[in-house]
Amino acid sequence: MVIEKKFNSISEISALQRIASMADKEVYLSNQEETIKVDARSFIGLFALDFSQPLKVITDSLYVIRMIEMDLRKQSCAAAVR
């Protein structure tokens, strides 16, 4: 599954890395064009990506998918309150 996500802080990137480290399946991050694809567990690999643009989270891990969807819901609720 592919989920598009905009990362707004280093703590969000760090959280994804922790989630990916606990995942039962591989988790990748790629740019929109999918010309760069890195393992989300690799801290150094993450520096290859441009976080000013939305990225694609690519995984078959239901755990990771659920965690990202929960985060996206929190962000949309926080935006609605503002």
Side-chain angles (χ1 to χ4, degrees):
M1 176 174 219
V2 177
I3 300 172
E4 287 193 23
K5 179 166 175 39
K6 173 76 170 93
F7 292 87
N8 297 312
S9 67
I10 292 174
S11 63
E12 287 183 12
I13 297 164
S14 178
L16 177 67
Q17 184 185 25
R18 280 192 305 273
I19 292 167
S21 295
M22 294 185 285
D24 56 333
K25 298 188 179 177
E26 295 184 0
V27 182
Y28 296 99
L29 281 175
S30 76
N31 59 352
Q32 290 294 315
E33 300 81 27
E34 295 188 25
T35 55
I36 301 173
K37 183 176 173 183
V38 299
D39 185 343
R41 297 173 182 145
S42 169
F43 184 73
I44 293 174
L46 296 177
F47 285 103
L49 297 166
D50 177 7
F51 287 96
S52 68
Q53 303 295 320
L55 299 173
K56 293 181 180 180
V57 180
I58 305 166
T59 187
D60 288 328
S61 171
L62 292 177
Y63 170 73
V64 173
I65 293 166
R66 287 184 186 136
M67 295 299 286
I68 292 172
E69 288 175 345
M70 285 175 25
D71 185 53
L72 291 172
R73 283 190 201 119
K74 283 184 205 174
Q75 287 178 357
S76 66
C77 288
V81 171
R82 293 178 192 171

